[in-house]
Amino acid sequence: DAGITQSPRHKVTETGTPVTLRCHQTENHRYMYWYRQDPGHGLRLIHYSYGVKDTDKGEVSDGYSVSRSKTEDFLLTLESATSSQTSVYFCAISEGVNGELFFGEGSRLTVL
Amino acid sequence: KQEVTQIPAALSVPEGENLVLNCSFTDSAIYNLQWFRQDPGKGLTSLLLIQSSQREQTSGRLNASLDKSSGRSTLYIAASQPGDSATYLCAVRLDAGNNRKLIWGLGTSLAVNP
């Protein structure tokens, strides 16, 4: 299995509070991604990174920000969580831009 | 606009049966296609990646085929086992210059009954 660790795995928070999810990889892959998975929508890309300090928006980036200060770590931040951000969040990595994707175990976030 | 469809949404079969899962896409200009499995409450596990120049890929009891002209990929599972029960997702990467976006299907939920 690809060495991808997400933390926390479960979090319950209240509307308006900031939340940070962490993705840590041991594979030294250049590309890292944050997805959310919701019933009926499948997987949707939030943000991705193509190198240290290099990030770009995905299809559902509003309300989210990311940072990548080291190759191995990719952080997803919800500045002010809303109930619509209740979801399961997955981190993924790939060696090349079109390469095989490998996923973490997911972080389940509930915003009350 | 590329759309990826997986039909049926759910499938239940007895153990030992050979089965085929389908993934259809509307635009044949794809770069590659990847099959995943997802167990309940878990992340996605990559099963097979097929490049657009390939017709099939095999891994153990799994065989994935790709027919770009008909817009279809199939995942064949031989001699199914209860441990194969999971949701199977396909993802199609568009062949569109520098923006090779990944389009996801909603998956087929497979139950293999002992």
Side-chain angles (χ1 to χ4, degrees):
Chain A
D1 291 343
I4 307 168
T5 305
Q6 291 186 229
S7 60
R9 294 291 314 282
H10 301 273
K11 186 172 182 66
V12 179
T13 191
E14 295 189 348
T15 299
T17 60
V19 176
T20 295
L21 305 179
R22 179 179 183 244
C23 178
H24 178 78
Q25 61 143 331
T26 58
E27 306 297 320
N28 200 36
H29 282 2
R30 179 180 175 187
Y31 293 85
M32 299 186 75
Y33 312 81
W34 278 108
Y35 284 90
R36 60 179 289 175
Q37 186 177 40
D38 304 286
H41 288 277
L43 279 144
R44 292 181 289 176
L45 181 65
I46 305 171
H47 281 281
Y48 67 99
S49 169
Y50 48 97
V52 173
K53 292 185 171 34
D54 292 323
T55 64
D56 205 349
K57 296 179 180 180
E59 61 187 300
V60 290
S61 59
D62 287 348
Y64 302 94
S65 62
V66 289
S67 65
R68 192 169 177 198
S69 59
K70 296 186 290 185
T71 299
E72 58 266 34
D73 290 325
F74 192 32
L75 303 181
L76 176 70
T77 297
L78 292 65
E79 301 289 348
S80 178
T82 67
S83 58
S84 65
Q85 293 175 313
T86 292
S87 186
V88 180
Y89 291 87
F90 287 100
C91 174
I93 64 174
S94 66
E95 193 165 14
V97 64
N98 301 310
E100 190 173 2
L101 274 183
F102 300 95
F103 280 79
E105 290 286 285
S107 295
R108 182 176 294 277
L109 176 66
T110 302
V111 184
L112 302 176
Chain B
K1 179 185 174 185
Q2 178 73 280
E3 293 183 2
V4 177
T5 305
Q6 294 186 249
I7 295 174
L11 183 63
S12 181
V13 300
E15 181 177 3
E17 191 165 299
N18 301 323
L19 56 99
V20 172
L21 305 180
N22 297 298
C23 174
S24 300
F25 46 93
T26 53
D27 188 341
S28 62
I30 70 168
Y31 189 82
N32 58 35
L33 184 149
Q34 193 168 355
W35 281 95
F36 298 86
R37 72 172 277 168
Q38 185 175 26
D39 295 285
K42 300 288 188 180
L44 283 72
T45 300
S46 177
L47 296 175
L48 290 162
L49 173 70
I50 310 179
Q51 302 295 342
S52 63
S53 58
Q54 297 174 315
R55 293 298 301 261
E56 65 178 77
Q57 281 278 20
T58 298
S59 176
R61 293 183 294 110
L62 305 179
N63 176 277
S65 68
L66 175 63
D67 184 344
K68 287 198 305 178
S69 62
S70 66
R72 187 178 178 208
S73 176
T74 61
L75 180 67
Y76 175 83
I77 303 177
S80 58
Q81 303 169 359
D84 295 327
S85 298
T87 297
Y88 290 79
L89 298 111
C90 70
V92 172
R93 190 174 296 280
L94 304 181
D95 189 3
N98 292 326
N99 184 14
R100 293 200 169 114
K101 185 178 177 181
L102 206 58
I103 310 295
W104 291 85
L106 293 181
T108 294
S109 177
L110 172 67
V112 180
N113 306 304

